[in-house]
Amino acid sequence: MTSILIVEDDNDINNLICNTLKAEGYQCERAFDGKEGADKIEQNRYDLLLDIMLPEINGYELLDYVRRIGDTPVIIISAMGQVDERIRGLRMGADDYICKPFQIGELLARVETVLRRTQRMAERLEIEDVAIDPKSRTVTKAGEQVELTVKEFDLLYELMKNKNVALSRRRLYELVWQEEYTGETRTLDSHVQRLRKKLDWNEKIVTVFRIGYRLEVRG
């Protein structure tokens, strides 16, 4: 059963989130400040942390602590909805950022998406001199680290996991961007071009006419 730690100092909001997630089949534990949250993380393993701006230890400090000791997925929930705050949280390693007030249905959808993305990415993959490690979200080529954006990383993982399989633009877009494909190809195509350049895989990531892309691996 998926275990989620909810860290929220408002008892009513904490109860609401906890009861909603339990009704969906998740196992939940609660903490009411950053210090209590850090203590629980030291003692237990969680599949997801819902991290809110907190007393004692604030949410950014708790996020930094979580990232230094492991790879637990983190969703920040905060009333601080300014763009620079969201950018700060995501750059520090949060997997998602939800602004208050929020709809409970949106929260459930975000939880499902983060868990689906992180749980499917469990296996280290290697093709020739390129290796991708989903847990640390690192990519190396000939032993040297390659800097990829979040979407470039997710796209590469899908291509490597499905080597020699033609993947449609629709499927790739919906797997990586987690939203409905509307037929606009520029975003996906530009990410593929950047991957080809960064990995020197111009001949490996093959365009499949009228379909999408295939990572071609011989032997």
Side-chain angles (χ1 to χ4, degrees):
M1 183 180 294
T2 301
S3 178
I4 299 176
L5 175 62
I6 303 159
V7 191
E8 164 61 69
D9 62 325
D10 185 299
N11 189 64
D12 290 339
I13 295 176
N14 202 317
N15 278 333
L16 172 63
I17 295 174
C18 183
N19 292 336
T20 301
L21 291 173
K22 282 184 174 179
E24 294 295 316
Y26 297 106
Q27 177 180 314
C28 297
E29 290 190 34
R30 302 190 299 158
F32 294 90
D33 60 52
K35 184 178 184 303
E36 185 182 3
D39 289 342
K40 285 182 176 291
I41 292 164
E42 278 187 351
Q43 298 163 9
N44 304 288
R45 185 190 181 283
Y46 298 97
D47 297 295
L48 179 68
L49 170 64
L50 297 180
D51 174 22
I52 295 91
M53 299 297 104
L54 305 161
E56 298 292 334
I57 299 174
N58 71 42
Y60 290 129
E61 291 173 321
L62 186 58
L63 173 59
D64 181 63
Y65 173 70
V66 170
R67 283 291 163 262
R68 282 188 283 110
I69 66 171
D71 57 357
T72 302
V74 176
I75 298 177
I76 292 178
I77 304 175
S78 173
M80 300 168 67
Q82 298 93 333
V83 172
D84 57 342
E85 292 292 341
R86 299 200 301 272
I87 291 172
R88 180 186 177 189
L90 293 169
R91 281 182 170 169
M92 286 182 65
D95 295 88
D96 205 345
Y97 194 113
I98 302 175
C99 299
K100 293 180 181 178
F102 58 87
Q103 295 291 327
I104 202 68
E106 179 189 8
L107 173 64
L108 288 172
R110 299 286 190 97
V111 167
E112 291 168 4
T113 297
V114 168
L115 287 172
R116 184 167 59 244
R117 184 172 67 236
T118 55
Q119 289 173 356
R120 79 167 184 252
M121 287 189 169
E123 182 184 357
R124 176 184 167 88
L125 300 174
E126 292 187 35
I127 292 179
E128 296 182 359
D129 62 347
V130 173
I132 185 168
D133 187 339
K135 289 188 176 180
S136 62
R137 291 188 69 85
T138 56
V139 175
T140 58
K141 181 176 175 66
E144 297 292 325
Q145 188 161 327
V146 181
E147 294 296 330
L148 300 182
T149 67
V150 172
K151 297 304 183 187
E152 287 169 356
F153 182 95
D154 293 348
L155 178 59
L156 177 62
Y157 185 85
E158 294 299 336
L159 289 168
M160 289 179 69
K161 188 173 65 172
N162 295 281
K163 64 180 181 180
N164 294 323
V165 175
L167 296 172
S168 69
R169 283 184 170 84
R170 175 183 295 277
R171 177 161 174 74
L172 276 171
Y173 186 87
E174 292 182 351
L175 282 170
V176 173
W177 277 267
Q178 297 291 316
E179 60 186 36
E180 184 179 359
Y181 178 68
T182 60
E184 192 277 315
T185 65
R186 189 165 36 188
T187 299
L188 174 61
D189 293 345
S190 65
H191 279 73
V192 169
Q193 290 300 324
R194 288 199 294 270
L195 270 184
R196 284 171 168 160
K197 183 176 181 179
K198 289 182 178 182
L199 297 173
D200 192 23
W201 272 9
N202 288 313
E203 296 181 3
K204 283 197 164 308
I205 302 178
V206 177
T207 301
V208 182
F209 184 61
R210 291 186 176 177
I211 297 177
Y213 296 98
R214 179 180 70 250
L215 177 58
E216 196 166 277
V217 180
R218 296 186 176 90

